[in-house]
Amino acid sequence: MTASVMIPRMERQDKRLVDQLRPISFETGIAPNATASVLVTFGRTKVICAVTIEEDVPRWMKVQRVEGGWLTAEYSMLPYSTLDRKRRDITAGKLDGRSSEIQRLIGRSLRAAVDLGKIGQRTIWVDCDVLQADGGTRTASITGASVALAIAVNKLVAEGKLAESPMKRLVSAVSVGILEGEALLDLCYVEDKDAEVDMNLVMTDQGEFVEVQGSGEEAVFTADQMNRMLELGRKGLEEIAELQRQVIAEEDRPSAGALEGLS
Ligand code: UDP
């Protein structure tokens, strides 16, 4: 005879299961002057991710005669993106510490996705502007910018400016955390602000880690909790990568169709 024990599960404010992502969407082409752009939505978190490819490299690369190109990222929370109006994150020409840390993370993550040696003497500018913040703005930025980056470089390939795709892999990001002792996937703000542990995972679509940022907020966490968070994160990131692939493939379709029409 077997006995089953019901383990009480935390009720999340938005009724999600502990391993359930918020609804995710990608709206492409929202900033037509950028090479590629995506409005990425994770529930109420919305970020405009724009990629602009410039036919030049930073001065330091020319001085040091570094081959290839460069990728740089900027992140900003718009003043009206939070519940209480937020002051601009650049004041007196200085970027606040949080935004500075986040834009470095976005840059590092995307440089893991593209082979800069294969983009020629170009600079890839990645701009992530948070329209609405409800937790996970950095992970939504990385996920959306990764899609915009793939679409932008595919355009260069389609235009014959690049002989081959410089994309090495797709990167995706999601947050995980521990709230009231329970591991949760993709925290929204009300969960994030009370979480004992807050972790951001950046991974490739081949299941490798790009970066892990995790800290206990005045708390410690065990290896078991860490493994549980990684398990939830991996599951979420597989779903996210699938959505990213679909959007990128959808964007490529018209040009593929045009080429078929020529044959
Ligand atoms: N937040 C805010 N004002 C700020 C910074 C953060 O309202 O100046 C909120 C916002 O909802 C954000 C959340 O707190 O998404 C969590 O912020 P965190 O610094 O952990 O970064 P994120 O989870 O957005 O990457």
Side-chain angles (χ1 to χ4, degrees), residues 127-203:
D127 292 293
C128 298
D129 290 292
V130 180
L131 264 187
Q132 183 165 275
D134 185 32
T137 60
R138 75 193 70 194
T139 48
S141 295
I142 293 165
T143 299
S146 176
V147 170
L149 175 64
I151 296 171
V153 298
N154 283 349
K155 272 190 190 168
L156 258 57
V157 174
E159 289 166 6
K161 292 181 180 162
L162 291 177
E164 57 172 331
S165 175
M167 291 302 285
K168 291 193 283 191
R169 50 181 80 94
L170 196 57
V171 298
S172 326
V174 78
S175 75
V176 285
I178 307 275
L179 179 63
E180 293 171 25
E182 179 127 44
L184 299 179
L185 174 65
D186 188 19
L187 282 68
C188 57
Y189 175 64
V190 286
E191 295 171 331
D192 182 291
K193 75 177 176 35
D194 293 330
E196 294 99 71
V197 183
D198 186 7
M199 187 175 279
N200 295 296
L201 296 178
V202 186
M203 291 184 77

Side-chain angles (χ1 to χ4, degrees), residues 73 75 77 97-107 137-139 141-142 213:
Y75 164 97
M77 283 176 103
R98 176 180 174 276
S99 295
S100 172
E101 177 209 323
I102 292 178
Q103 65 186 32
R104 290 206 186 110
L105 169 70
I106 298 169
T137 60
R138 75 193 70 194
T139 48
S141 295
I142 293 165
Q213 291 187 328

Side-chain angles (χ1 to χ4, degrees), residues 118-133:
K118 289 188 180 165
I119 66 165
Q121 296 264 290
R122 296 186 172 88
T123 302
I124 301 178
W125 291 95
V126 178
D127 292 293
C128 298
D129 290 292
V130 180
L131 264 187
Q132 183 165 275

Side-chain angles (χ1 to χ4, degrees), residues 9-222:
R9 285 283 169 210
M10 159 181 291
E11 174 132 347
R12 299 180 75 170
Q13 201 208 35
D14 54 11
K15 309 285 179 217
R16 276 183 294 148
L17 300 174
V18 293
D19 64 351
Q20 194 176 353
L21 293 165
R22 290 176 284 182
I24 296 175
S25 68
F26 300 89
E27 187 184 335
T28 58
I30 59 144
N33 288 339
T35 313
S37 59
V38 170
L39 172 64
V40 62
T41 301
F42 276 59
R44 284 196 293 259
T45 288
K46 294 174 195 284
V47 186
I48 300 171
C49 305
V51 168
T52 310
I53 303 184
E54 193 186 359
E55 298 286 326
D56 200 6
V57 286
R59 219 180 84 80
W60 66 265
M61 289 188 78
K62 292 182 199 166
V63 171
Q64 295 177 26
R65 297 180 192 276
V66 179
E67 294 287 314
W70 188 238
L71 181 150
T72 193
E74 295 193 1
Y75 164 97
S76 155
M77 283 176 103
L78 293 165
Y80 49 85
S81 63
T82 48
L83 291 173
D84 298 318
R85 186 181 185 277
K86 187 188 178 297
R87 287 165 62 112
R88 295 242 171 228
D89 32 21
I90 296 185
T91 33
K94 221 174 161 327
L95 188 64
D96 69 42
R98 176 180 174 276
S99 295
S100 172
E101 177 209 323
I102 292 178
Q103 65 186 32
R104 290 206 186 110
L105 169 70
I106 298 169
R108 286 194 299 275
S109 300
L110 295 186
R111 286 193 288 273
V114 65
D115 185 343
L116 294 175
K118 289 188 180 165
I119 66 165
Q121 296 264 290
R122 296 186 172 88
T123 302
I124 301 178
W125 291 95
V126 178
D127 292 293
C128 298
D129 290 292
V130 180
L131 264 187
Q132 183 165 275
D134 185 32
T137 60
R138 75 193 70 194
T139 48
S141 295
I142 293 165
T143 299
S146 176
V147 170
L149 175 64
I151 296 171
V153 298
N154 283 349
K155 272 190 190 168
L156 258 57
V157 174
E159 289 166 6
K161 292 181 180 162
L162 291 177
E164 57 172 331
S165 175
M167 291 302 285
K168 291 193 283 191
R169 50 181 80 94
L170 196 57
V171 298
S172 326
V174 78
S175 75
V176 285
I178 307 275
L179 179 63
E180 293 171 25
E182 179 127 44
L184 299 179
L185 174 65
D186 188 19
L187 282 68
C188 57
Y189 175 64
V190 286
E191 295 171 331
D192 182 291
K193 75 177 176 35
D194 293 330
E196 294 99 71
V197 183
D198 186 7
M199 187 175 279
N200 295 296
L201 296 178
V202 186
M203 291 184 77
T204 73
D205 58 345
Q206 286 126 44
E208 302 134 328
F209 293 102
V210 177
E211 191 146 337
V212 179
Q213 291 187 328
S215 57
E217 308 281 329
E218 296 168 29
V220 291
F221 54 106
T222 63

Side-chain angles (χ1 to χ4, degrees), residues 237-253:
L237 288 169
E238 276 171 23
E239 292 171 31
I240 292 170
E242 182 51 34
L243 294 173
Q244 289 172 297
R245 277 192 289 268
Q246 281 172 20
V247 181
I248 295 165
E250 194 64 37
E251 276 297 305
D252 274 351
R253 199 156 293 154

